[in-house]
Amino acid sequence: MDNHSESNLTNKKEKKKNKGGNHNKRSKKKSRQTDIKLLIKGLGDDNGLARRMHAKELAQVGAAALPELIKVLLNSKNVIQRRAAAKTLKLVEDPTALPHLIKALTNDSDAVVQFSAAGAIAIFGEDAANHLIILLENQDHTEMQYGLAAWCLEFIGAKAPNAIKKAAKSKNTNVKSAAISALEEHIRHSQDQEAIQLVESAINDTDENVQIEAIKLVGKLYRIESLVSTLILKLNNNSLDIRKASVLSLMQLNINEAINPLKDLLKIEQDKNVRAIIKLAIKKIDN
């Protein structure tokens, strides 16, 4: 056999080998997709243990399972399957799922799907914070959805301090109140004066909800002593909710100088629930 013939024979063998290799790759890919679809189907199983097993296996598959998981999350008529898909996306931990989880949180008719989507969103830190801020700025969502978004921001907390601080300067009161609450962990573990100043500003905000979130935050922290006198002044506020929040925060802080102002408030307070809280605060601080 001459060299030319040998070369042709070698080329034919290589082509056949490559063709066989490509065929094997396609077969493996097709087999994997079949496996993923079977696992996805298992997310609708009535047995909770079976669902968790399928979810864990899909988590091990990772990003390759995302397209099918997202399809189920947004389109399945089986509510159990949608709930499980949201929980599985949390296990997969791929941030490309974020926009779809936000869509499930805001569009799904089932409250458990919304809760599960929120739980998944919260693990993504700063990537999630920006999506949540956009959600909070939107006027078309329900109180529960705003509450879940605020909870997510609070959970993220110190993992995304810059995004949270930026949100705390927002002109949107939903965003601002949620961001102020979410600053707790960051302030607790840092000496960030900018964050503390944002709380100082929020405690006298024109919006009542922003004020209340700032008052609550001061009560949870022991670092903002400069605001104790402001809390005492808030006992005379016209808003029942602001008075109540101020009493609770002073009680949490165990502030001795609040005793006399609390006793003075007790003499004039008309709301029985606030009166009960004042008595409890006085008793706690006095002991």
Side-chain angles (χ1 to χ4, degrees), residues 151-211:
W151 173 83
C152 286
L153 269 188
E154 193 168 345
F155 182 90
I156 291 164
K159 296 173 187 172
N162 292 330
I164 302 293
K165 286 190 289 184
K166 183 179 178 182
K169 300 172 188 174
S170 174
K171 292 180 181 179
N172 183 293
T173 55
N174 278 335
V175 174
K176 195 171 188 178
S177 59
I180 291 296
S181 179
L183 282 171
E184 179 186 349
E185 186 184 357
H186 177 59
I187 293 174
R188 193 182 296 281
H189 295 104
S190 75
Q191 298 287 340
D192 191 335
Q193 291 303 305
E194 182 189 4
I196 291 172
Q197 286 169 7
L198 286 167
V199 180
E200 290 175 346
S201 173
I203 206 166
N204 289 312
D205 197 89
T206 53
D207 182 79
E208 185 173 311
N209 288 331
V210 174
Q211 279 194 55

Side-chain angles (χ1 to χ4, degrees), residues 209-258:
N209 288 331
V210 174
Q211 279 194 55
I212 289 170
E213 289 304 327
I215 290 167
K216 287 178 181 176
L217 181 54
V218 174
K220 294 174 184 175
L221 298 168
Y222 296 89
R223 291 178 176 269
I224 317 181
E225 293 177 5
S226 60
L227 291 179
V228 169
S229 58
T230 305
L231 282 186
I232 291 172
L233 288 174
K234 294 285 181 186
L235 294 175
N236 298 313
N237 197 279
N238 291 330
S239 165
L240 182 149
D241 289 328
I242 287 177
R243 292 198 304 277
K244 182 165 66 174
S246 301
V247 173
L248 287 168
S249 285
L250 288 166
M251 179 171 67
Q252 283 178 285
L253 293 169
N254 211 34
I255 301 297
N256 286 325
E257 56 263 45

Side-chain angles (χ1 to χ4, degrees), residues 75-131:
N75 301 313
S76 176
K77 293 180 180 179
N78 184 332
V79 69
I80 292 173
Q81 199 176 35
R82 296 202 308 277
R83 293 171 183 175
K87 291 172 184 174
T88 306
L89 285 166
K90 181 179 178 180
L91 298 177
V92 174
E93 297 183 344
D94 190 316
T96 57
L98 266 171
H100 309 287
L101 288 163
I102 292 285
K103 190 172 181 180
L105 170 58
T106 54
N107 287 0
D108 201 283
S109 58
D110 181 70
V112 178
V113 173
Q114 293 182 31
F115 274 94
S116 300
I121 290 164
I123 70 167
F124 292 112
E126 192 153 7
D127 287 337
N130 297 320
H131 286 278

